[in-house]
Amino acid sequence: MSAKIIVGYIFLQEEIMGKFTVLNHPLIQHKLTIIRKKTTGTNEFRQIVGEIGGLMVYEMTRDLPLKNVEIETPIGKTVQKELAGKKLVVVPILRAGLGMVEGVLQMIPSAKVGHIGMYRDEETLKPHEYFFKMPPEVEQRQCIIVDPMLATGGSANLAIGALKKRGVTDIKLAVLVAAPDGVKAVQKENPDVDIYAAAEDEKLMSNGYIFPGLGDAGDRLFGTK
Ligand SMILES: O=P(O)(O)OC[C@H]1O[C@H](OP(=O)(O)OP(=O)(O)O)[C@H](O)[C@@H]1O
Ligand SMILES: O=c1cc[nH]c(=O)[nH]1
Ligand SMILES: [Mg+2]
């Protein structure tokens, strides 16, 4: 294969696979280490999951389009920037995704919130949808799905599919900890969805937990175990 064909092939692969970005800002990494510790209690865990959610969305929205607007300050008229383009919807996958919402809304207070309820069967690891509620005209908005854990990728793919069925075309996924299997599964089934993570961990264990991970995110957030 000539170099040109190889480069073309890699480019094509990247396009087909979708984009995966690890947001390794030092503040994000530091906070993630705190919530990984088994000694971190519910209160601190919940607060920091929200904080990381906010920092991640701050990084993810760097490329939001701006437009010029004429305004008047107390001193006089001026042309300044404001956000243009699609409005955002934050979509937590219940339960654990709820932990990231507050932090995201601190960055984007005008964002709407849609909810998708999903749980993983502990035996089969297959996800089951039990709730779906979106704001009106969701298909005209950009949806940012938030969930702390991307393990097999089953829940994320089901959530993305549920949004696409309702006509949503602009979707991003933000997770705290991603397993390589989950990243691959979403890239394969939904190559148009960009994935952002605070970390990509070593592996997915046979019981469905991510190693080293942070344990069961939902249970740690809500104190249910
Ligand atoms: O990538 P997957 O293999 O689908 O696993 C990831 C899912 O598992 C967890 O939810 P869980 O089913 O524990 O529900 P919970 O948030 O109510 O605890 C997590 O919050 C994800 O939604
Ligand atoms: O490690 C994992 C995997 C899935 N869900 C969690 O909460 N933790
Ligand atoms: Mg759980």
Side-chain angles (χ1 to χ4, degrees):
M1 232 188 275
S2 75
K4 204 168 160 187
I5 293 172
I6 292 170
V7 169
Y9 177 72
I10 292 168
F11 180 68
L12 194 67
Q13 282 284 303
E14 274 180 5
E15 278 218 326
I16 290 169
M17 292 304 281
K19 206 170 86 188
F20 173 53
T21 309
V22 176
L23 299 169
N24 48 12
H25 188 290
L27 289 176
I28 294 179
Q29 298 308 302
H30 179 81
K31 289 174 192 290
L32 186 60
T33 300
I34 298 174
I35 58 169
R36 283 185 191 276
K37 292 179 187 169
K38 66 177 183 185
T39 48
T40 299
T42 303
N43 193 2
E44 196 180 8
F45 188 90
R46 196 182 291 143
Q47 181 181 331
I48 295 177
V49 167
E51 288 172 5
I52 300 176
L55 289 169
M56 287 184 70
V57 146
Y58 176 78
E59 291 277 358
M60 287 167 65
T61 49
R62 273 182 186 281
D63 60 353
L64 280 184
L66 292 167
K67 65 179 180 201
N68 287 332
V69 282
E70 192 181 276
I71 58 161
E72 202 169 344
T73 74
I75 311 300
K77 284 190 176 158
T78 172
V79 173
Q80 299 294 331
K81 305 280 182 200
E82 72 175 25
L83 288 172
K86 289 183 192 170
K87 300 266 192 292
L88 295 176
V89 186
V90 193
V91 182
I93 300 181
L94 311 182
R95 292 174 301 164
L98 285 174
M100 294 169 72
V101 173
E102 204 45 52
V104 173
L105 290 179
Q106 272 178 19
M107 292 293 150
I108 317 168
S110 61
K112 304 268 192 261
V113 183
H115 296 85
I116 301 183
M118 221 160 262
Y119 72 90
R120 236 177 25 153
D121 182 300
E122 285 179 12
E123 298 290 315
T124 64
L125 302 182
K126 294 273 172 275
H128 297 273
E129 187 183 324
Y130 60 84
F131 189 74
F132 187 93
K133 181 80 182 167
M134 291 298 136
E137 296 172 352
V138 66
E139 69 285 351
Q140 290 166 34
R141 298 170 178 268
Q142 179 180 104
C143 289
I144 302 182
I145 299 175
V146 296
D147 190 333
M149 311 307 278
L150 179 64
T152 65
S155 304
N157 272 334
L158 196 59
I160 293 166
L163 287 173
K164 285 185 174 175
K165 244 193 265 169
R166 272 81 172 186
V168 181
T169 54
D170 191 347
I171 303 171
K172 292 185 179 190
L173 171 66
V175 302
L176 302 193
V177 181
D181 305 54
V183 175
K184 276 193 211 105
V186 174
Q187 284 181 319
K188 187 159 178 246
E189 201 169 309
N190 291 290
D192 55 315
V193 174
D194 291 345
I195 308 167
Y196 298 84
E200 183 180 26
D201 271 14
E202 200 177 310
K203 63 178 179 190
L204 183 66
M205 300 194 302
S206 56
N207 63 4
Y209 279 88
I210 300 172
F211 178 84
L214 48 75
D216 189 303
D219 285 341
R220 295 197 66 188
L221 271 167
F222 299 111
T224 41
K225 228 172 225 168

